[in-house]
Amino acid sequence: MSVNLPTHYVQQFSTNIQLLLQQKGSKLRDRVMSGSHVGKQASPVDQIGAINMQPRTTRFAPMGRVDAPTDRRWVFPSDFDLPQLVDSIDKLRMITDPQSAFVQNAVMAAGRQFDDLIIDAFFADAKTGETGSTTTQFGTTTSATTGQNVSASHEASATTGLTFAKLREAKRVLMANQVDLEADPLTCIVTSRQHDDLLKEVQVTNLDYTNRAVLDEGKVTRVLGIDIVHCERLDTGTDDLAATSRMVPVFAKSGMYLGIWDDIKTSVSQRNDLQGEPWQAYVTMTAGATRLEEKKVVRIWCDE
């Protein structure tokens, strides 16, 4: 046997490209209202407030007038792109062409960007008025036991995570605000921590309460008629007890809006302006999000 045979050994490389763990696209885009727009800003809705019937106290009285309160909500676009270069000499060294995987990876990132826009809009200032010059705030943390906030210590002596009682209170608030639960589906977004909190609740896991919660192979998908969506991108903030807590939104679909100026677009082209003429996988999008109505969104403060 020749001592030179090791020079004939074969190196085997993977013929697959595996994308590392990540949220694969958007989980929230279909959970909110959406529409297409052009221009520097857009008004998705013109709002008309409730009015009441007036009593008639005398005969043949002069005709009065009732003016319904009106408002206009605005959404503003932000531009995003994601260019990735694959050198021609890199392709020569790879059995599998990486371009399609690079594009797929970027499209997933664009989907997550939609979710970030929506999440940021849940409790941020919204722009209202004739031209969008008026700022409308969400409920303050100092009034977390009333309004659109559920306290971090709701029905407890100290701060707690996400509990059945907090979800029940969020639904009560929305019902008190006259949200049409039959026509307007409710969604609650949770991280893995809040999902684990729910698995500790007897009303969620006990078979005696199966009409209140839905579990699919250990995953909570619905509680009290509220769809539970897992997303690890939720923000934290300072709760009503001056502690850092996770801000968990419970909302009606018609209460949130995603405006699309330019939906996800992909292209793969050769960059003749760069040395080696590499291939570029390019993804762009332009979008914005806003809260349409404060009373259709509830913030639950959850200790972690």
Side-chain angles (χ1 to χ4, degrees), residues 275-292:
Q275 189 179 40
E277 296 186 337
W279 289 88
Q280 176 176 267
Y282 190 52
V283 176
T284 64
M285 57 172 282
T286 300
T290 188
R291 185 179 59 253
L292 290 181

Side-chain angles (χ1 to χ4, degrees), residues 2-3 8 10 18 24 29 31-32 41 45 72 89 113 142 148 151 199 202 227 238 240 242 247 252 271 276 294:
S2 172
V3 296
H8 291 201
V10 175
Q18 181 179 19
K24 296 181 179 179
R29 181 172 178 174
R31 298 281 175 174
V32 302
Q41 65 189 72
V45 293
R72 177 174 291 166
I89 59 176
Q113 187 62 58
T142 56
Q148 300 305 115
S151 172
L199 289 177
V202 63
D227 291 334
T238 303
D240 54 307
M247 297 187 289
R271 292 287 302 272
E294 283 64 47

Side-chain angles (χ1 to χ4, degrees), residues 31-32 174 179 181 184-187 250-256 296-298:
R31 298 281 175 174
V32 302
L174 294 172
V179 174
L181 302 184
D184 210 353
L186 303 182
T187 300
V250 179
F251 62 98
K253 182 174 183 177
S254 64
M256 296 297 299
K296 292 182 178 180
V297 180
V298 173

Side-chain angles (χ1 to χ4, degrees), residues 37-235:
H37 304 286
V38 296
K40 67 177 183 179
Q41 65 189 72
S43 174
V45 293
D46 286 333
Q47 301 169 326
I48 301 177
I51 55 176
N52 297 313
M53 296 295 294
Q54 305 297 306
R56 290 182 57 185
T57 57
T58 60
R59 301 178 65 193
F60 311 118
M63 184 72 71
R65 189 186 73 200
V66 176
D67 295 320
T70 61
D71 209 341
R72 177 174 291 166
R73 192 60 54 108
W74 292 88
V75 62
F76 295 81
S78 296
D79 304 307
F80 304 91
D81 71 352
L82 184 53
Q84 301 175 91
L85 291 177
V86 181
D87 204 321
S88 55
I89 59 176
D90 295 329
K91 293 180 64 178
L92 292 174
R93 289 165 171 77
M94 300 177 68
I95 297 175
T96 303
D97 189 339
Q99 287 175 178
S100 60
F102 276 43
V103 173
Q104 182 184 3
N105 204 30
V107 169
M108 290 180 182
R112 293 193 296 272
Q113 187 62 58
F114 282 136
D115 286 4
D116 288 344
L117 289 171
I118 295 170
I119 289 171
D120 289 344
F122 275 122
F123 312 120
D125 292 345
K127 296 299 182 180
T128 59
E130 183 178 356
T131 62
S133 58
T134 302
T135 297
T136 300
Q137 294 182 327
F138 194 76
T140 63
T141 58
T142 56
S143 60
T145 56
T146 59
Q148 300 305 115
N149 290 273
V150 177
S151 172
S153 59
H154 179 72
E155 291 193 6
S157 58
T159 58
T160 59
L162 182 60
T163 63
F164 186 84
K166 288 183 178 180
L167 284 175
R168 191 183 68 226
E169 173 64 10
K171 186 171 184 178
R172 184 202 66 78
V173 170
L174 294 172
M175 292 179 67
N177 292 342
Q178 304 294 325
V179 174
D180 186 354
L181 302 184
E182 286 74 27
D184 210 353
L186 303 182
T187 300
C188 175
I189 306 171
V190 300
T191 71
S192 57
R193 184 64 179 267
Q194 285 79 55
H195 182 270
D196 189 62
D197 290 338
L198 291 177
L199 289 177
K200 301 173 186 176
E201 295 290 287
V202 63
Q203 297 95 332
V204 174
T205 58
N206 194 305
L207 292 177
D208 293 337
Y209 298 94
T210 52
N211 62 323
R212 299 183 185 177
V214 177
L215 276 78
D216 183 7
E217 296 184 349
K219 181 179 180 181
V220 182
T221 59
R222 193 171 174 85
V223 177
L224 289 170
I226 303 171
D227 291 334
I228 305 298
V229 176
H230 169 232
C231 179
E232 292 293 325
R233 308 179 76 80
L234 290 181
D235 297 324

Side-chain angles (χ1 to χ4, degrees), residues 248-269:
V248 173
V250 179
F251 62 98
K253 182 174 183 177
S254 64
M256 296 297 299
Y257 187 82
L258 177 66
I260 307 294
W261 272 255
D262 196 8
D263 211 335
I264 300 174
K265 289 184 177 179
T266 64
S267 66
V268 177
S269 59

